[in-house]
Amino acid sequence: MSVSVSPASSRTASVDLRSWPDVARLPRASRLRTAAAERLVKHALGGLPLRVRLAGGGPIGRGGPLLEVRDPHAFFRRIGARGLIGFGESYMAGEWEAADLVGVMTVLAEHVGALVPGPLQRLRGAWAQRQPEGQRNTIEGSRANISHHYDLSNELFALFLDETLSYSSALFRGFPADQQLLPAAQHRKIDRLLDLAQVGEGTQLLEIGTGWGELAIRAAQRGARVLTVTLSREQQALARQRVSAAGLQDRVTVLLRDYRKVLGRFDAIVSVEMVEAVGAEFWPAYFETMDRLLAPGGRIALQAITMPHDRLLASRTTHTWIQKYIFPGGLLPSTEAIEHVVAGCTGLRIEARDGFAPHYAETLRLWRERFTERAAYVEALGFDEVFRRMWTFYLAYAEAGFRSGYLDVQQLLLTKAETEAETA
């Protein structure tokens, strides 16, 4: 069943009600709440370096990239009912547009603390949506949450990732980057992590979060023996194929297993952009598990996306657009949160930390451009226009976070003492 959201949204496509119920229908919201949202949003946008053009109304803003609102009533009603979730759903519905979507989102990310008035921010718990109980990262919940994103289709990810199938920030030699440089930049990122963990001949390595197997393959080529675990059946199947094609099946084992269920002792552990999927409730379990599995004197190399600590405290219990549509159960940690959990729950020590946010912005730009160029192939895989708009918004949203400095990506080295006495 398909319905048109509004006259404005019919300029893009009808929306399938079963697939996208909260996009196909406008949310319930009182006239008062919608009017209040309109007043607050216009006031906030009016002070930003943006040009906002409302259909049937005058321009707003102080100049900059253009945000064109095709259906102001639907736009303000969605924001009034669902806040930033409604803002994203309005884009999915085609109710607003931006030729420079990343530019618009970057301005919003740079001013995120000022978009909601102070008194309303302090009352966030009263009006913001709460995270659904069903998205908790229990053993079963984690499998469902990971499957929601990573089991979409290996073919979909292959359309916009490079040949290494690496779905995390690359590390470039310089900017601007281009598509041809992406595979080497991904290997540079992987090699730095393996160097941090001192992975070499004979290393017993655990990888938490397989991806599609590139890091495990590269570690095995150094002479390591690798156990890598994932909760995605799609990733496991393709990773095993790639390991076999590389002739490394005797050195790499790919298991469909929750990290909390792993047994053994390892000389080194590597985990790339996995902590973001764990959820704050389970951060202690994540780091405690690595502490348990790491041999004395061992090393852990992590790559993690982080957000400012004050924003984490403000948003950690609320439901976001990213959690609803892209990464259910996910939450970006702050540097302070990681340090607190590591110090309070483990005998590990953070020895080094290096951030490289601009490299992630460039990585996401390349992914977004390729995703856009191959929209027809995405459609041929069975993904409708709302999905394509959703993923365009997601990639632009993330890129803007790194370009604005709101988000960072870091590689961290954690070590474990040679003996228990050294940790006392």
Side-chain angles (χ1 to χ4, degrees):
M1 176 182 181
S2 296
V3 298
S4 291
V5 181
S6 64
S9 64
S10 65
R11 298 176 191 173
T12 55
S14 58
V15 179
D16 184 79
L17 179 62
R18 289 165 295 187
S19 299
W20 311 103
D22 289 342
V23 178
R25 294 179 296 214
L26 289 176
R28 293 181 179 179
S30 67
R31 291 183 180 181
L32 178 61
R33 186 159 182 156
T34 300
E38 178 174 356
R39 182 175 179 180
L40 288 171
V41 170
K42 284 182 175 179
H43 176 76
L45 295 177
L48 299 182
L50 285 175
R51 289 180 299 133
V52 182
R53 188 161 59 212
L54 302 175
I60 301 172
R62 296 191 286 110
L66 175 64
L67 190 164
E68 187 170 7
V69 181
R70 297 171 170 176
D71 188 338
H73 170 72
F75 178 75
F76 293 122
R77 182 165 163 179
R78 289 186 189 274
I79 294 174
R82 298 192 180 122
L84 292 178
I85 292 178
F87 179 71
E89 289 174 340
S90 187
Y91 182 82
M92 292 164 67
E95 293 156 2
W96 66 271
E97 198 62 77
D100 181 7
L101 183 57
V102 173
V104 168
M105 300 295 284
T106 299
V107 171
L108 296 176
E110 288 171 340
H111 298 85
V112 66
L115 294 178
V116 179
L120 278 182
Q121 289 195 33
R122 289 189 288 273
L123 295 172
R124 186 186 185 102
W127 57 266
Q129 294 189 34
R130 311 291 288 183
Q131 292 182 19
E133 177 68 19
Q135 289 188 0
R136 291 178 62 236
N137 283 299
T138 60
I139 298 291
E140 290 304 316
S142 290
R143 189 180 296 273
N145 288 339
I146 291 297
S147 180
H148 175 90
H149 187 80
Y150 292 98
D151 286 341
L152 283 167
S153 161
N154 285 335
E155 291 79 9
L156 171 68
F157 288 97
L159 283 176
F160 68 91
L161 299 178
D162 67 276
E163 64 200 49
T164 71
L165 292 181
S166 297
Y167 190 37
S168 53
S169 180
L171 190 60
F172 299 97
R173 290 195 183 277
F175 303 132
D178 64 49
Q179 295 287 353
Q180 292 182 341
L181 299 175
L182 191 50
Q186 291 290 4
H187 282 159
R188 191 174 300 114
K189 174 272 304 292
I190 291 171
D191 289 343
R192 180 190 273 193
L193 286 163
L194 296 177
D195 289 345
L196 274 177
Q198 295 182 351
V199 174
E201 186 68 40
T203 300
Q204 298 291 328
L205 174 66
L206 169 65
E207 181 187 21
I208 299 178
T210 304
W212 286 274
E214 190 70 15
L215 187 146
I217 290 170
R218 205 145 176 96
Q221 289 170 340
R222 292 187 174 204
R225 294 196 174 275
V226 185
L227 172 63
T228 179
V229 296
T230 179
L231 290 177
S232 166
R233 294 185 182 277
E234 291 272 329
Q235 286 188 332
Q236 183 197 34
L238 185 51
R240 282 179 167 175
Q241 291 176 24
R242 298 181 75 228
V243 166
S244 180
L248 296 167
Q249 60 269 34
D250 61 329
R251 288 190 168 271
V252 179
T253 302
V254 186
L255 295 183
L256 192 70
R257 183 169 298 176
D258 191 284
Y259 66 92
R260 290 162 286 194
K261 295 292 187 178
V262 174
L263 301 175
R265 275 294 179 96
F266 300 87
D267 304 315
I269 300 173
V270 177
S271 189
V272 182
E273 296 179 24
M274 164 68 188
V275 67
E276 305 88 342
V278 169
E281 178 184 0
F282 296 98
W283 287 338
Y286 175 73
F287 286 101
E288 287 168 359
T289 297
M290 288 192 289
D291 191 13
R292 169 176 60 83
L293 296 170
L294 188 66
R299 298 164 72 91
I300 301 171
L302 300 183
Q303 185 161 308
I305 302 170
T306 58
M307 67 188 298
H309 192 60
D310 62 331
R311 301 311 305 166
L312 169 64
L313 295 178
S315 62
R316 64 185 295 166
T317 62
T318 57
H319 200 208
T320 67
W321 183 88
I322 285 285
Q323 291 167 335
K324 182 172 181 177
Y325 287 102
I326 308 298
F327 295 111
L331 181 66
L332 303 184
S334 64
T335 299
E336 293 89 336
I338 292 174
E339 291 173 344
H340 177 76
V341 173
V342 169
C345 300
T346 76
L348 302 171
R349 178 181 301 170
I350 299 176
E351 297 282 358
R353 187 176 68 240
D354 182 32
F356 50 106
H359 295 259
Y360 218 151
E362 283 295 280
T363 304
L364 283 154
R365 176 181 63 82
L366 296 176
W367 292 346
R368 177 177 51 82
E369 289 175 353
R370 181 169 285 184
F371 183 85
T372 301
E373 291 166 0
R374 299 183 173 184
Y377 296 99
V378 177
E379 183 179 12
L381 289 174
F383 297 100
D384 65 14
E385 184 169 355
V386 177
F387 178 92
R388 299 193 297 275
R389 288 182 68 85
M390 177 182 74
W391 264 64
T392 299
F393 186 83
Y394 150 55
L395 293 170
Y397 180 105
E399 181 183 343
F402 291 103
R403 293 205 181 280
S404 67
Y406 180 78
L407 300 180
D408 194 9
V409 60
Q410 305 182 34
Q411 288 187 349
L412 299 94
L413 170 64
L414 289 76
T415 60
K416 187 169 183 175
E418 292 280 357
T419 65
E420 291 184 6
E422 293 180 49
T423 66

